[in-house]
Amino acid sequence: MRAMSDGRSPGSAPDHGAAARQPTAPAAHGWRARYHGAQTRYRGFRDGLRHRPVVDRCWRWGIGVLGTLIVIVGIILIPYPGPGWLVVFTGLAVLASEFEGARRLLHFARGRYDRWNEWQKQQHIVVRLLLFAATGAVVLVTLWLLDVFGLVADWFGIDAGWLDSPLEPFA
């Protein structure tokens, strides 16, 4: 059975006596105070849900589905200009709010991402340009497969069959 954030088991009454009070940290200011307050409210909310197993299970399923969808969208966005990795890490953070495995994966992925960026920075300009060209090729191929070029050609009245996607659902 899971313990609540203050160590009690679900369903037990809180101890409001002097012995239950813990020393408090110095008051935080600015964003730290807001973050700590939000974190405390979320823990209280989750502790309340743990008293109702069906609702708790539904909450965890919902978080799992939402986080997984965000990660999938982020993975699709990675090669494109924009916040692909940010979306992936956001999805992992959503999953990590409920699942320990996702928390470990988020920590691992952040470390690998940082190491990849450091490696790229140390490479010769030719290697970096090749990586940039490979990313551009992935973007162009996916845009072609999704028939973006055929759609734009139709807008401008250009009849070039080679711009159309070879995939049946998109052609």
Side-chain angles (χ1 to χ4, degrees), residues 38 43 46 49 68 79 84 92 99 105 109 111 131 134 138 142 151 154 166:
R43 283 184 183 150
R46 283 302 289 130
L49 289 183
T68 302
L92 285 174
F99 304 102
L105 180 60
L131 289 169
V138 168
T142 56
L151 177 66
D154 288 345

Side-chain angles (χ1 to χ4, degrees), residues 3 37 42-43 58 65-66 74 76-77 81 87 90 101 105 118 121 123-124 127 135 145 148 152 157 159 168 171:
Y42 179 73
R43 283 184 183 150
C58 290
V65 169
L66 177 66
I76 292 169
L77 293 176
V87 175
T90 300
L105 180 60
E118 287 302 316
K121 289 176 187 175
Q123 299 308 305
H124 191 271
V127 174
T135 302
L145 290 174
V148 172
V152 173
D159 188 24
E168 190 62 35

Side-chain angles (χ1 to χ4, degrees), residues 4-166:
M4 296 174 57
S5 61
D6 62 359
R8 297 181 292 123
S9 62
S12 63
D15 182 12
H16 296 291
R21 292 190 189 104
Q22 298 175 355
T24 58
H29 299 288
W31 69 270
R32 284 193 175 127
R34 287 191 301 272
Y35 174 76
H36 179 70
Q39 191 178 34
T40 302
R41 285 189 301 276
Y42 179 73
R43 283 184 183 150
F45 169 75
R46 283 302 289 130
D47 288 345
L49 289 183
R50 286 190 184 98
H51 289 296
R52 303 184 332 217
V54 173
V55 176
D56 183 49
R57 191 171 303 118
C58 290
W59 176 262
R60 287 176 58 86
W61 267 94
I63 291 294
V65 169
L66 177 66
T68 302
L69 289 175
I70 294 171
V71 168
I72 289 169
V73 168
I75 289 171
I76 292 169
L77 293 176
I78 286 172
Y80 296 97
W85 281 109
L86 177 64
V87 175
V88 170
F89 289 135
T90 300
L92 285 174
V94 168
L95 290 170
S97 71
E98 289 294 323
F99 304 102
E100 182 59 34
R103 188 172 294 120
R104 288 191 305 269
L105 180 60
L106 176 61
H107 180 72
F108 174 79
R110 279 185 194 162
R112 292 294 175 163
Y113 179 78
D114 290 341
R115 283 179 43 188
W116 169 255
N117 281 337
E118 287 302 316
W119 179 84
Q120 280 185 346
K121 289 176 187 175
Q122 296 171 359
Q123 299 308 305
H124 191 271
I125 188 70
V126 174
V127 174
R128 289 194 276 177
L129 287 173
L130 286 172
L131 289 169
F132 182 73
T135 302
V138 168
V139 169
L140 290 174
V141 168
T142 56
L143 290 174
W144 175 62
L145 290 174
L146 294 173
D147 200 32
V148 172
F149 297 131
L151 177 66
V152 173
D154 288 345
W155 288 347
F156 291 101
I158 300 171
D159 188 24
W162 60 274
L163 290 175
D164 293 332
S165 172

